[in-house]
Amino acid sequence: PLCNPGNMDYTSLTNDLVLMFIILFVYAILSPITSYVMLIGFFCLTVGYRNQVLFVYDPSNDTGGKLWPKAAGYLVLCMLIAQVTIFGVLTLKESPGGALMFPL
């Protein structure tokens, strides 16, 4: 019912956001138009989830920012996966940039 919305599923939200960040970081180099599509997607998610978190769901499970270091670690992991993927693509294309990216 509308009077009892339940709890917000943060695990599903986190998984979706990590997937979107991986797609953004990997394809931002390979296909820059993806950055604009993801910008629109993140904007829509921000508007929707801000309303849901502020006005619908109960803030009783608020951690006070304790999950922020884990989220930052996920972003670093996404960037590492993007670097490895771009290194692989450049190596497969046999471009000289692939060998130069190895130290990164």
Side-chain angles (χ1 to χ4, degrees), residues 38-101:
M38 291 306 240
L39 177 70
I40 294 168
F42 281 127
F43 177 74
C44 293
L45 285 174
T46 300
V47 170
Y49 280 117
R50 183 176 293 164
N51 179 42
Q52 296 290 353
V53 169
L54 289 177
F55 300 118
V56 176
Y57 291 108
D58 183 29
S60 63
N61 59 354
D62 185 17
T63 60
K66 291 180 184 176
L67 293 177
W68 174 246
K70 188 176 271 193
Y74 284 146
L75 288 178
V76 171
L77 180 66
C78 291
M79 287 188 271
L80 180 66
I81 291 171
Q83 288 288 326
V84 170
T85 304
I86 293 169
F87 173 72
V89 168
L90 291 177
T91 303
L92 288 175
K93 287 186 174 185
E94 297 177 356
S95 68
L100 295 175
M101 280 190 58

Side-chain angles (χ1 to χ4, degrees), residues 5-19:
N7 293 329
M8 188 168 201
D9 188 17
Y10 286 107
T11 56
S12 175
L13 174 64
T14 304
N15 293 338
D16 293 341
L17 288 177
V18 167
L19 177 65

